[in-house]
Amino acid sequence: MSGHQVPENLKYTKEHEWIQIDDDCAAIGITDYAQSSLGDIVFVELPEVGRVLKQGETFGVVESIKSVSDLYSPLAGEVIEVNTQLENSPELCNEAPYDHWMIKIKLPATKDHPKLSSLLNHQEYKDLCRE
Amino acid sequence: MEAKRTALYPEHLARGAKMVPFAGYEMPIQYDSLKEEALSVRRDCGVFDVGHMGEFLVRGPDATAFVDHLICNDFASPDVGRALYSPLLREDGTIIDDLIAYKMGAQRILICVNAANTQKDWEWMRSKQGPFNISLEDKSISFSLLALQGPRSSAVMEKMGLLSPEDPLPFFGVAEFKWRGEDVIVARTGYTGEDGFEIFSTDSSAKSLWENLLEEGVRPCGLGARDVLRIEAGLPLYGQDLRDDLTPYDSGIGWTVKMEKQSFIGQEALRNLSPQYRSLKLTLPKGIPRHGHEIFDESGHLVGRVSSGTMSVILGKGIAMAHVKRGTVESKKFLVKIRNKYYDAFVHKGSFVPRGAKK
């Protein structure tokens, strides 16, 4: 399972999501490992802009032909943007998982959000995928 | 209990199949792409290892009469060399399993049943043997089964000497052939809606057949693709579309009940029965229906549930088979509830795909 891409500039979760933090905004998508385990992704359901997510809350669903998987918000925050392109072209999650974020959330004001420490760095995530 | 393995288990691992537990077996759910596997069967051909399925052999002077008594479809009429699909019913008309019975000879019948029900069916058949002059043999362990499915299947079978170009098997025909000196049983049956064949053999023949099929460019396909293909063809699955607590009339296979034939188990109950459900097929322009999703009419009344659902690979949209309560409004449109959202679902008549199988 070490053949999957894990870019160094991103953070990760045990649920196989990636997070790119840019000031107070976090873009969230699914990893190469996730898309390859799921197989052909045929449906993506994402939340409405404005929804306030708790850390760990389900914010959407990805479906392959035979499976349904929840998406968990790795951080708390308000949904400020949704990648609607994925609703019409869910296969983009397979083709280029790191080029297509699913949602962007605005993180609460505190800069050094303690919950950020719960995310994995690329090395930790690589190790997780290898287990 | 340790999971059982088919003779082809090492071949599946060697090809990188994702293995899952299924009916007490470790079976390949998919190789590299479920989608490509399903499309191969529709456009070319694919092979499935279905060695987990159960096989019984009924032999003796009363073999035909016994099977005809066990099942509600008419097994007395078909000639030797023909197969028949039927559910197996209890006295109260509910479904124990669905099966295919192959009339190999006047006194020799092969029955193929669902893997998960093999033990249950075996005990049932043994208990009904009573006055019939027959012998019953469980061949489930010793028989392997491969399903070659798709429009190129007959060409591949001819090339391998398992189908005679002068005397091809009709749809639901069955015959015996020799494969490298060993007996194999070939039937023009399947579970995909395409033309195709099922080959019963020993484990060693299954291995050489598998290798030979792959050399012919046939794609190995897993149970995931098989499930999508059978839903697209509108073929029911026991445990979902066919259930322990439902009769054939509730589940879209009322056509298999031949009330006018010799007496069979369940006949009296079915004569006086008012079925609870009818079976429907639905297509969804958006959303993917799954087993258990609730179905509502346009006034918001809960009327039924999805029995099987998937994203159709060939149609590119959600499709479902469903049980809807009888007595509810006849409508062309329903709503399927998927994670608290309601999606439009339109009634679809017939198979979701044009049947490629030869009649």
Side-chain angles (χ1 to χ4, degrees):
Chain A
M1 285 296 159
S2 53
H4 296 103
Q5 288 177 46
V6 181
E8 290 183 16
N9 60 325
L10 302 175
K11 298 280 189 187
Y12 299 90
T13 68
K14 286 180 183 145
E15 285 77 29
H16 303 285
E17 286 148 332
W18 59 262
I19 302 103
Q20 184 169 36
I21 295 168
D22 195 0
D23 285 335
D24 62 347
C25 170
I28 299 160
I30 62 167
T31 65
D32 190 27
Y33 179 93
Q35 71 77 21
S36 118
S37 317
L38 286 167
D40 301 293
I41 294 171
V42 292
F43 191 80
V44 178
E45 191 176 279
L46 298 173
E48 303 282 320
V49 169
R51 191 167 144 200
V52 178
L53 298 168
K54 295 191 202 99
Q55 188 179 27
E57 191 179 344
T58 304
F59 72 79
V61 161
V62 276
E63 296 194 42
S64 67
I65 294 166
K66 295 304 307 168
S67 75
V68 184
S69 309
D70 284 328
L71 296 164
Y72 301 97
S73 185
L75 296 166
E78 182 186 338
V79 179
I80 51 170
E81 241 184 299
V82 171
N83 189 351
T84 51
Q85 193 190 7
L86 296 179
E87 290 171 358
N88 296 319
S89 306
E91 69 281 0
L92 293 173
C93 302
N94 290 120
E95 290 164 10
Y98 298 111
D99 293 344
H100 300 281
W101 50 269
M102 292 179 158
I103 57 170
K104 285 185 180 175
I105 61 172
K106 189 176 189 297
L107 303 174
T110 35
K111 245 315 177 41
D112 302 316
H113 205 278
K115 303 252 166 106
L116 286 181
S117 60
S118 65
L119 303 179
L120 307 174
N121 65 33
H122 81 279
Q123 195 52 54
E124 291 166 325
Y125 181 65
K126 259 188 183 167
D127 294 342
L128 179 88
C129 291
R130 221 174 268 133
E131 273 167 21
Chain B
M1 196 177 73
E2 202 171 313
K4 289 179 272 191
R5 292 170 176 179
T6 69
L8 294 168
Y9 179 82
E11 319 301 322
H12 303 318
L13 290 193
R15 297 193 67 87
K18 200 179 283 181
M19 305 300 286
V20 295
F22 184 86
Y25 281 81
E26 272 183 87
M27 297 301 289
I29 185 122
Q30 69 171 68
Y31 296 83
D32 45 358
S33 163
L34 189 160
K35 187 176 165 184
E36 293 306 319
E37 290 163 28
L39 288 174
S40 291
V41 172
R42 293 269 176 252
R43 293 171 181 164
D44 182 50
C45 61
V47 59
F48 301 83
D49 173 14
V50 281
H52 60 314
M53 294 191 74
E55 294 92 3
F56 308 132
L57 204 54
V58 186
R59 275 186 286 199
D62 293 341
T64 298
F66 174 66
V67 176
D68 191 52
H69 176 66
L70 276 181
I71 65 179
C72 61
N73 205 343
D74 172 15
F75 197 62
S77 302
D79 293 329
V80 168
R82 301 306 296 253
L84 181 79
Y85 171 81
S86 181
L88 181 68
L89 306 180
R90 296 184 187 82
E91 279 81 3
D92 68 359
T94 56
I95 305 170
I96 299 170
D97 198 4
D98 64 337
L99 55 79
I100 294 180
Y102 301 85
K103 208 178 268 189
M104 308 302 304
Q107 300 194 13
R108 193 159 63 98
I109 292 152
L110 174 68
I111 296 177
C112 183
V113 301
N114 283 299
N117 293 335
T118 305
Q119 190 58 32
K120 176 175 80 166
D121 295 353
W122 173 249
E123 283 162 14
W124 178 260
M125 289 186 194
R126 293 277 299 197
S127 76
K128 298 299 172 190
Q129 193 174 340
F132 293 94
N133 185 4
I134 53 150
S135 70
L136 262 176
E137 209 181 333
D138 184 351
K139 298 295 239 181
S140 304
I141 299 296
S142 57
F143 272 26
S144 273
L145 179 58
L146 294 176
L148 173 67
Q149 300 280 294
R152 190 163 63 93
S153 300
S154 60
V156 172
M157 291 294 278
E158 279 179 17
K159 204 168 162 195
M160 289 170 67
L162 296 173
L163 187 68
S164 150
E166 296 80 36
D167 183 22
L169 280 176
F171 184 54
F172 266 73
V174 58
E176 282 167 283
F177 286 84
K178 287 279 181 194
W179 170 255
R180 297 185 181 171
E182 285 199 306
D183 291 325
V184 296
I185 297 170
V186 173
R188 203 160 195 157
T189 48
Y191 197 40
T192 62
E194 294 300 321
D195 187 20
F197 300 85
E198 292 179 301
I199 310 166
F200 299 89
S201 72
T202 62
D203 286 354
S204 64
S205 287
K207 283 182 195 165
S208 58
L209 284 164
W210 175 269
E211 281 164 19
N212 212 283
L213 288 166
L214 266 50
E215 279 165 25
E216 292 297 331
V218 177
R219 187 174 192 126
C221 299
L223 296 184
R226 187 171 158 88
D227 194 51
V228 172
L229 291 160
R230 69 95 192 164
I231 298 173
E232 288 177 341
L235 299 170
L237 173 67
Y238 190 87
Q240 292 187 186
D241 313 292
L242 307 180
R243 282 195 339 224
D244 233 12
D245 59 331
L246 297 180
T247 73
Y249 296 131
D250 296 291
S251 12
I253 54 165
W255 63 271
T256 62
V257 180
K258 303 288 157 60
M259 291 304 286
E260 67 284 4
K261 75 166 198 175
Q262 289 286 317
S263 86
F264 61 89
I265 298 169
Q267 191 177 27
E268 280 318 303
L270 292 180
R271 212 187 290 284
N272 307 310
L273 182 102
S274 26
Q276 293 173 266
Y277 297 96
R278 59 197 169 95
S279 159
L280 273 187
K281 295 189 187 75
L282 300 168
T283 61
L284 283 71
K286 250 197 113 185
I288 305 170
R290 307 282 184 188
H291 173 72
H293 283 163
E294 292 174 335
I295 299 169
F296 295 82
D297 65 16
E298 289 190 276
S299 325
H301 300 108
L302 177 66
V303 293
R305 279 178 190 275
V306 171
S307 52
S308 287
T310 187
M311 177 67 150
S312 165
V313 168
I314 198 80
L315 302 175
K317 59 183 169 185
I319 58 173
M321 295 161 74
H323 296 132
V324 169
K325 277 184 246 168
R326 291 200 184 230
T328 53
V329 185
E330 290 274 345
S331 172
K332 288 197 173 79
K333 188 185 164 194
F334 291 91
L335 298 162
V336 177
K337 187 180 176 188
I338 306 174
R339 295 180 295 274
N340 295 319
K341 278 191 200 168
Y342 295 83
Y343 291 85
D344 289 349
F346 298 93
V347 173
H348 184 94
K349 299 281 184 198
S351 166
F352 292 108
V353 290
R355 292 262 186 136
K358 288 187 182 165
K359 298 277 169 181

